[in-house]
Amino acid sequence: MVSNQLASSNSNQSSDEKKVFSSEQIRKICLEEGADDAGFVEITRDALGNSKKEAQTLYPKTKTIISFCKRNNPENIQSVSRPLANEEFHKTYDDLSIIARKIIRRLNEIGIRGVSCHPTFPMDMNDWAGKIWQISHKPIAEQAGIGKTGINRMILHPKFGTFLLLDSILIDVEVDSYGKPLDYDPCVSCMLCVAACPVGALDARKGLDFNACMTHNYRDFMGGFEDWVENIVSSNSVEEFRKKSFDSENISKWQSLSFGPQYKAAYCISVCPAGDDLYEIYKNDKKQWNEQIVKPLKNKREPIYVSKDSRAEEYAKRNPNKEIRYVRNILRPNSMYSFLTGVRVAFERKHADGVNLTVHFDFNGRDTGQATIIIKDGVIDVKEGFVEKSDLVITVDVDSWIKIVNSEANEDFMNEIFTSGKIKIQGNLNDLKKFQNCFVGQ
């Protein structure tokens, strides 16, 4: 606990004097209340990127971000049983919420105010189909020195490896010492996460295939739930609905609604041997690790949810133990923001083979802004403002563009927006078609 002397000295400072608290003492509070590790980042650090703006939006008084983690039980998540793994995730999330609230109460006692940013649901669904989580914990954790992002897109802790969950607390004071990113990578380059993913969503060079991961792993969440509901309302009979959605999937939806969303796979976490806790076990008997953890997950008979004509479909078909189920990935943006954040998820690498385009968007209407979308070598990047030389420039009214993206624009509407000047395109229209074809549903 922070010493009475420290608390007293800070409380006696004038309102104009800067308050600086001991990071070691605050870290001690975090550990006493149940965190397994904690670090600190100053809000002024440029490397925080968008997380800085997110934090200040949630709590304008933020001067320091506390990043902390809670370790999962690895054996539960390594199990071939998804119920065991999912329960472990949910209970650890619950622990994080309780721990954060306890930490803030302790901090309040010594004159520190703050906000906890619990990492899971509920999220801000007004921003669907864009970024619905209000703060990104991973870049904060990296800057605080908690760990480094691995090939599996999870934070790898030096001791706990990938078996942890993150939370952040925003506080209104500065501390005397801040963390810094790790100067080494805990990843052991085993590539087991790449091999274990049932939809081939991981690529060491190109990163995460958001579309493949979301379509399968998050089938009971968000877009998958929308697709399930639309299957219900569009069916003319029970028999027709059963052809679209099996009984097991309907019951899975009930379970997710009743007891918390169920992930269909977390194999990229399950097989990872990074971190001091597990690396020696893996190194001493790699064959046993493969036989007892990797193979059971790869050989498990289970449904795999994919979009038709996708790279994930091609990959999943290679494994005879996986049953392919085709689903629509419902992504209907409703604003400039949700389009620009959701476009990464809708991106389909298979359709982007050989496509190298830089597209400038100049939005007007109810939302205004400029952005650049770059597609190169099967990877998509979205940047604020105009960057690099463009192949296409699309100047468009936001509402008109949203209708086009959501396939709600008929021929008459397209004629009207072109003649009225609501959309102007500079560049080759064949490039526009190539661009549109790179996304699910286009």
Side-chain angles (χ1 to χ4, degrees), residues 303-321:
I304 302 294
Y305 298 93
V306 299
S307 301
K308 281 189 176 182
D309 193 27
S310 65
R311 182 176 175 273
E313 175 193 12
E314 293 179 347
Y315 190 91
K317 280 183 174 179
R318 301 175 193 172
N319 190 333
N321 295 308

Side-chain angles (χ1 to χ4, degrees), residues 165-201:
L165 294 176
L166 299 166
D167 203 348
S168 303
I169 294 176
L170 316 177
I171 59 175
D172 66 347
V173 301
E174 296 179 3
V175 299
D176 59 7
S177 178
Y178 290 100
K180 60 182 180 179
L182 296 181
D183 57 5
Y184 70 98
D185 190 348
C187 177
V188 300
S189 301
C190 64
M191 305 301 285
L192 291 178
C193 58
V194 176
C197 179
V199 291

Side-chain angles (χ1 to χ4, degrees), residues 25-266:
Q25 294 298 329
I26 295 176
R27 184 174 186 274
K28 185 179 179 182
I29 289 176
C30 294
L31 300 183
E32 287 176 350
E33 295 303 338
D36 286 317
D37 198 1
F40 305 86
V41 187
E42 67 275 29
I43 192 63
T44 56
R45 189 178 302 187
D46 290 338
L48 283 174
N50 289 334
S51 296
K52 175 181 178 179
K53 181 179 179 181
E54 292 167 351
Q56 291 175 323
T57 298
L58 295 176
Y59 188 52
K61 296 180 180 180
T62 302
K63 293 183 179 178
T64 297
I65 306 177
I66 305 173
S67 175
F68 70 97
C69 67
K70 186 68 180 175
R71 177 182 178 271
N72 291 310
N73 174 18
E75 284 70 23
N76 273 57
I77 294 171
Q78 290 170 343
S79 171
V80 73
S81 166
R82 287 302 89 199
L84 287 182
N86 282 320
E87 183 70 357
E88 181 66 21
F89 285 127
H90 286 307
K91 294 309 182 198
T92 307
Y93 276 130
D94 291 344
D95 288 344
L96 279 172
S97 179
I98 294 169
I99 291 167
R101 293 166 65 203
K102 288 183 176 180
I103 291 171
I104 287 180
R105 288 174 186 170
R106 290 279 298 276
L107 295 180
N108 286 169
E109 293 174 359
I110 58 171
I112 299 174
R113 313 303 296 184
V115 168
S116 65
C117 307
H118 193 46
T120 187
F121 292 94
M123 294 186 178
D124 191 347
M125 292 306 175
N126 289 324
D127 289 330
W128 175 257
K131 183 179 177 182
I132 55 175
W133 56 98
Q134 293 179 299
I135 193 166
S136 299
H137 300 286
K138 292 177 186 177
I140 295 170
E142 277 200 311
Q143 290 301 311
I146 296 295
K148 193 175 184 69
T149 302
I151 295 170
N152 63 358
R153 300 287 293 184
M154 306 303 292
I155 290 294
L156 305 183
H157 187 276
K159 178 174 174 58
F160 313 132
T162 194
F163 294 95
L164 57 84
L165 294 176
L166 299 166
D167 203 348
S168 303
I169 294 176
L170 316 177
I171 59 175
D172 66 347
V173 301
E174 296 179 3
V175 299
D176 59 7
S177 178
Y178 290 100
K180 60 182 180 179
L182 296 181
D183 57 5
Y184 70 98
D185 190 348
C187 177
V188 300
S189 301
C190 64
M191 305 301 285
L192 291 178
C193 58
V194 176
C197 179
V199 291
L202 295 172
D203 186 300
R205 186 171 63 89
K206 296 182 178 181
L208 177 67
D209 184 336
F210 285 91
N211 178 42
C213 181
M214 192 186 82
T215 302
H216 175 63
N217 192 33
Y218 295 89
R219 176 59 185 163
D220 285 358
F221 296 63
M222 303 167 295
F225 181 78
E226 279 193 277
D227 177 57
W228 180 71
V229 170
E230 291 190 7
N231 282 339
I232 295 175
V233 300
S234 64
S235 298
N236 295 316
S237 66
V238 172
E239 290 75 15
E240 183 180 339
F241 173 64
R242 284 177 174 168
K243 291 179 181 178
K244 298 178 181 178
S245 183
F246 295 168
D247 288 349
S248 59
E249 183 176 357
N250 299 331
I251 296 302
S252 178
K253 287 290 190 296
W254 166 82
Q255 181 168 252
S256 290
L257 288 169
S258 301
F259 301 104
Q262 300 298 298
Y263 304 95
K264 296 300 182 186

Side-chain angles (χ1 to χ4, degrees), residues 24 46 60-61 68 104-105 115 117 133 155 158 168 265 271 299 330 361 366 376 384 410 413 430:
E24 273 303 308
D46 290 338
K61 296 180 180 180
F68 70 97
I104 287 180
R105 288 174 186 170
V115 168
C117 307
W133 56 98
I155 290 294
S168 303
V271 301
N299 295 336
I330 304 296
F361 281 91
R366 64 182 169 95
K376 185 176 182 181
E384 186 176 343
N410 57 28
F413 177 81
N430 287 330

